Amino acid sequence: MATEFKLPELGENIESADVVKVLISPGDKVEVDQSVIEIETDKATVEVPSEFSGTVKEVKVKDGDNVKVGSVLFTIDESASDAEPAKVEEEEKTTGETEADKVEEEETTTEEAKADKVEEEPEKEEASETGFVEFKMPELGENIDAADVTKVLVKAGDQINVDDPVVEIETDKATVEVPSEVSGTVKEVKIKDGDKAKVGQVIMIVESSGKTKTEKKREEPKPVEKAPEKTEQKDDHLKSESTKERPDDKIISRASSEMPKKIAPAAPSVRRFAREIGIDIHQVNGSGPGGRISIDDVKDFAKTRNEKINKGGVSGAIGISAEPLPDFSKFGKIEREPMNNIRKKTAEHLSYAWATVPHVTQFDKADITGLEKIRKKFGAKVEQSGGKLTVTAILLKVIAGALKKFPQFNCSIDMDKKEIIYKKYYNVGVAVDTERGLLVPVIKNVDKKNIVELSVELGEIAVKARDKKLGLDEMQGGNFSISNLGGIGGTYFTPIVNTPEVAILGVSRAAWEQVYTDGEFQPKFMMPLSLSYDHRIIDGADAIRFLRWVVDTLENPFLLSLEG
Ligand code: CAO
C-alpha cells in the first residue's frame, strides 16, 4: 500500500512553505534521508529529507506550489524499497548522482554517523527493561541547553500522573515547573535541588502505568529530525498490533517528543556541538549534500559571528568588554551574592537592547478623570468575573487599538536582511515586578479579548509570575510592552524597548492637577505616559501620533469602538 509523505512541521508559526524544486519523480527509488523537495519558508530554504525508502508512486506538488504543513507531498511504495536494483542506474541518470558520489557523500558523513551512533547507543540499551520509562529534561526553548533545578517535586515511590509537575527549574527566561509526560510510580530520581540539568538528561525513572503523553503526541505530526509522518505511520502500525510489538521497548525517551520542530539537516552530534557553543543550528547554512550541516559549517558560522561581534556590529552581542572593578572592600564591608538566572538574563537582555536600539522617549499626559469614574463604576462588574478593572487592563485594550492603527509599532526589524517584519497578531507584554526580578508575561491576541477578559487574564498572569508558575510560552511572542509603575509611584521614566519589539509604554502614577480648561483651572486626574521607541523604524512624528491616539482614547474611550 502506498504511504503518504506529508510536509513536516517547519517551526514555530510556520504554516506553509513554497516549493522551490521537486527533486523526485514517479518511479524514482528513494532512500531514507534523501532530499525529496526543496522548500522555502520565511526563515530559510531547506531540503526536506525523505523518511521512507521505496519507490515514488505519485508526486502531488510541483515547483512554485505553496504547500501547507501536513499536506501530502508524494506517495511512496515502501515494500519496493529492497527490490529492483536495476533502478539504481535509472536513479543515477535522473539525479545525476553516481555511486562514486554516494560513496563520497557517505565518507563525508562518516564522522557524524559515528558520533550519531555513540549518541544513539545508550537509548538502545535503555530500551531493554519493560515498563520503565526514562523521563528526560525536555527542550526548553531556543538556545537553552540547561536549567537550574530549584526544587525536585517527587521522590521514589510517589505515584504520578501525566501533567503532574515533577521538577521546578529556572532557566535564563523563567522559573517553570516541568510536567510529567507519563503516569506511574517513580522508581528513581536522578537529580537533586541545586543541580544543573541539561536538556535530554535523565530526570527520573518511572514504572509506567501505561498512560503517557507521548502516545497522545505520537498521533500528531512531529517531523523534528525524523519526519512526523513516519512516526505517525509507525504509531498507527503499533496501535493496530496492540502492545505486543514492542515488548523490548522498556525505557522510552520522553525528551524526543519535545525536540525542536524545525528541520535542521544535521547529525545529532553536530546539533549538540552547536548547542554547546551557543549557536542556533537553524541559522547555519549547510555546505554538504542537500544542505547538510557539518561541524565545520557550525565553526565557520561561529567564527564569522565572533568577527562581527568584535566589530560591534551583530545582533545578540554588544562587543564592549567590562571595565575592571575596583576593590570595594578597601572602602568598607561588602558581601557578594550570585545573580539568579532572571537577573542575569535581564541584565544581558537590557544591555543588549540599550546598546543596539537607538532609543527616543516621548512623554505625554492623559486626563483620566472620566476614565477613573468609569473604572470605579464598572469595577464591581469585573470583580464578579474574577478580575480587577485596573488602568493596565484598560491600557491593554487601548494599545491593541493603537497597534492596529499604527502597524510600524507592531513590527520587528531584521537588520541582517534589512527587512521589516509586520505582525498580523496583537500580543502585548506586561512588566510584572516580582521578588526575583522583572518578568514580562505576554497576553496573547489582546485585540480579540474584551476588557473584562483582559482584566481577569492580567490578574492571573501577574499572580503566576509572582508565584513562579509562568510557562515559557507565556513569556514569548510579545509585540509591544506596557510597564506600569503607577501603582508604586513616580512621575515619568524612560523604559527600555523590549527587543525585538520596537516600542514600550511606560505608565507613571496619575495625580490630581489644576489644568486650565475652558477658560478656567479645573482639577483633573492626569496620568503621565512615556513612550520609548526604536528610532530606526519609528520617526518622532509617528511616535507622537501614536501616543496622542493613546491619550485621546483614554480621554474618550468611545474612540476604541470608533477606531480601535
Ligand atoms: N496611576 C495611579 N494609580 C495606579 C496606576 C497609575 N498609573 N496604576 C495602577 N494604579 C493603582 C491601581 O488602580 C490600583 O488601585 P486601586 O486598588 O485603588 O484600584 C493600585 O494602583 C494597584 O494596581 P495593581 O498594580 O494591582 O494593578 P495594575 O493592573 O495596575 O498593575 C502590574 C499590574 C502587574 C502591572 C503591577 O502590579 C506591576 O507589577 N507593576 C510594576 C511593573 C514594573 O515593575 N515595571 C518596571 C519595568 S522596568 O524596570
Side-chain angles (χ1 to χ4, degrees), residues 163-210:
D163 281 344
D164 280 357
V166 289
V167 56
E168 185 185 283
I169 53 163
E170 191 176 71
T171 69
D172 290 345
K173 297 203 167 158
T175 300
V176 285
E177 284 177 346
V178 178
S180 176
E181 296 218 330
V182 60
S183 64
T185 310
V186 177
K187 297 312 277 180
E188 193 186 345
V189 179
K190 296 205 164 238
I191 43 159
K192 55 180 188 327
D193 295 358
D195 278 1
K196 195 162 199 83
K198 286 197 169 163
V199 169
Q201 180 181 331
V202 179
I203 294 177
M204 60 176 180
I205 297 198
V206 179
E207 188 170 6
S208 167
S209 62

Side-chain angles (χ1 to χ4, degrees), residues 39-89:
I39 55 162
E40 193 178 62
T41 68
D42 49 4
K43 299 214 162 148
T45 301
V46 286
E47 287 186 357
V48 179
S50 173
E51 267 302 304
F52 308 107
S53 61
T55 305
V56 176
K57 301 299 283 177
E58 190 186 347
V59 179
K60 303 217 175 219
V61 290
K62 56 182 187 326
D63 296 1
D65 280 0
N66 180 269
V67 282
K68 289 210 160 119
V69 167
S71 59
V72 179
L73 300 180
F74 65 91
T75 58
I76 184 164
D77 185 353
E78 279 188 281
S79 60
S81 60
D82 298 328
E84 299 173 62
K87 278 215 163 169
V88 175
E89 244 180 73

Side-chain angles (χ1 to χ4, degrees), residues 9-16 42-43 69 261-262 425 427 477:
E9 290 280 344
L10 302 166
E12 238 175 50
N13 299 327
I14 303 180
E15 288 164 14
S16 66
D42 49 4
K43 299 214 162 148
V69 167
K261 292 175 191 158
K262 293 176 206 162
Y425 52 89
N427 297 343

Side-chain angles (χ1 to χ4, degrees), residues 375-376 388-393 430-433 438 458 462 466 483-488 493 507-510 525 527:
R375 198 173 72 81
K376 297 262 155 65
K388 187 176 170 198
L389 185 56
T390 61
V391 175
T392 314
V430 178
V432 178
D433 173 40
L438 169 69
L458 175 63
R466 287 173 181 139
S483 176
N484 181 5
L485 285 170
I488 308 167
F493 66 109
V507 186
S508 299
R509 190 177 201 93
F525 201 46
M527 187 164 72

